[in-house]
């Protein structure tokens, strides 16, 4: 009933206050109920799909691969998580939207971004097996500064949509690390060592955890979140992010 009512009000609001598409330069009004990206722009977002992908980190390779293909990065330096999958590439217009969502309080973009995240989780992971969804935590200093954890907002909405529990307290960030985006791969790993901890192992033990974040770059953050979860007895850790970036995506 609540979901029906909320759909009704969202449709009524769309009629009363039509929204211009959130993609810069698009003059259309959003025709997706309760959303800010129009269907034409949504369909042309840079989806993270190609001929083949690494079965572990989900990195794309341009050739067809067998389902258990593992990329060189994962072979040489295996990540702690079992799988990571993303919805779109971190480039125009997704990068601007994520930056606005993350740093400029544009949390109204949440449902559009979760449309992407949910699509990737349903298509690329055996999501029925997931027990609990956890956002990558922010350190409390950063949380105070920003006022919200963008990954927690994504995790809450995704959990509702795929009918899973969200746990925002069992995994915490114990060290206020520098911005990862400005660091090289090696520096990222050093910067994150011991930065995360599990506060309630009993809530983690035996559970298959889906870690949610907005962007995955080297996977170092997700790997460092995974270790304490596995140490606490998690049955497995999978990861899903809206976007996939490379280190050069942040060259600016
Ligand atoms: Zn548009
Ligand atoms: Zn890989």
């Amino acid at each position: 009933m609540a979901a029906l009512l909320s759909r009704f009000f969202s449709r009524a609001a769309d009629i009363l206050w039509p929204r211009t598409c959130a993609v810069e330069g698009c003059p259309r009004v959003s025709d997706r109920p309760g959303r800010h990206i129009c269907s034409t722009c949504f369909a042309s977002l840079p989806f993270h799909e190609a001929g083949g992908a690494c079965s572990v980190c989900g990195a794309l390779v341009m050739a067809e691969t067998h389902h258990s293909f593992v990329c060189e990065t994962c072979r040489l330096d295996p990540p702690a998580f079992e799988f990571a999958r993303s919805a779109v590439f971190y480039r125009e217009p997704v990068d601007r939207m994520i930056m606005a969502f993350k740093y400029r309080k544009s949390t109204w973009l949440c449902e559009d971004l979760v449309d992407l995240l949910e699509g990737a989780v349903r298509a690329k992971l055996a999501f029925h097996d997931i027990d609990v969804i956890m956002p990558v935590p922010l350190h409390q200093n950063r949380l105070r500064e920003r006022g919200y954890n963008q990954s927690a907002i994504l995790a809450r909405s995704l959990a509702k949509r795929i009918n899973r529990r969200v746990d925002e307290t069992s995994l915490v960030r114990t060290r206020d690390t520098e911005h990862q985006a400005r660091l090289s791969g090696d520096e990222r790993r050093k910067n994150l060592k011991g930065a995360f901890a599990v506060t309630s192992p009993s809530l983690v033990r035996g559970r298959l955890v889906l870690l949610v974040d907005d962007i995955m770059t080297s996977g170092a953050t997700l790997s460092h979140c995974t270790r304490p979860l596995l140490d606490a007895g998690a049955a497995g850790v999978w990861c899903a992010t809206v976007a996939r970036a490379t280190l050069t995506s942040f060259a600016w």
Side-chain angles (χ1 to χ4, degrees):
M1 190 62 191
L4 259 177
L5 270 179
S6 119
R7 252 204 310 273
F8 170 78
F9 283 118
S10 145
R11 273 174 202 267
D14 286 344
I15 294 164
L16 291 170
W17 303 286
R19 296 168 244 251
T20 306
C21 176
V23 173
E24 211 174 85
C26 174
R28 285 179 288 267
V29 162
S30 176
D31 51 349
R32 300 187 320 121
R35 304 295 192 265
H36 296 81
I37 304 175
C38 77
S39 55
T40 309
C41 289
F42 191 85
S44 55
L45 291 177
F47 284 93
H48 194 248
E49 278 155 13
C54 170
S55 58
V56 179
C57 72
L60 298 181
V61 283
M62 285 311 139
E64 282 294 334
T65 50
H66 52 90
H67 71 283
S68 53
F69 170 78
V70 178
C71 76
E72 198 180 346
T73 312
C74 289
R75 270 202 311 270
L76 297 175
D77 186 11
F81 52 77
E82 211 171 332
F83 308 115
R85 300 292 184 265
S86 308
V88 285
F89 285 101
Y90 186 71
R91 59 175 188 234
E92 278 289 334
V94 175
D95 51 356
R96 279 169 193 260
M97 289 193 271
I98 291 186
M99 283 297 120
F101 175 66
K102 189 168 180 165
Y103 298 115
R104 294 198 296 277
K105 300 195 166 36
S106 301
T107 47
W108 47 269
L109 279 167
C110 174
E111 298 308 320
D112 288 274
L113 297 177
V114 177
D115 286 342
L116 295 169
L117 188 62
E118 181 190 3
V121 168
R122 287 184 183 273
K124 302 178 183 181
L125 291 169
F127 73 96
H128 289 292
D129 295 340
I130 296 163
D131 293 310
V132 59
I133 298 181
M134 293 187 190
V136 167
L138 268 188
H139 189 269
Q140 53 186 11
N141 293 349
R142 216 43 85 70
L143 190 60
R144 255 198 308 271
E145 206 176 277
R146 200 179 295 172
Y148 61 98
N149 175 0
Q150 78 284 352
S151 303
I153 295 178
L154 296 172
R156 273 174 229 150
S157 169
L158 177 69
K160 261 194 221 141
R161 294 194 195 192
I162 65 168
N163 200 20
R164 290 294 178 279
R165 195 165 60 81
V166 64
D167 178 346
E168 297 179 37
T169 53
S170 292
L171 180 67
V172 293
R173 199 164 196 139
T174 50
R175 219 148 37 75
D176 191 6
T177 52
E178 273 182 64
H179 282 288
Q180 287 287 98
R182 301 195 189 110
L183 305 175
S184 73
D186 264 358
E187 287 168 333
R188 279 168 184 249
R189 274 187 287 273
K190 274 191 210 125
N191 188 39
L192 286 166
K193 212 158 186 260
F196 299 94
V198 167
T199 53
S200 351
S202 60
L203 291 177
V204 169
R205 201 169 300 128
R207 307 277 156 78
L208 179 55
V209 179
L210 178 72
L211 272 173
V212 163
D213 208 357
D214 50 351
I215 313 169
M216 168 174 167
T217 306
S218 68
T221 303
L222 293 165
S223 244
H224 279 85
C225 284
T226 300
R227 285 195 189 98
L229 290 168
L230 292 176
D231 290 346
V237 179
W238 299 354
C239 308
T241 69
V242 174
R244 181 74 58 113
T246 56
L247 288 169
T248 52
S249 307
F250 296 97
W252 43 265

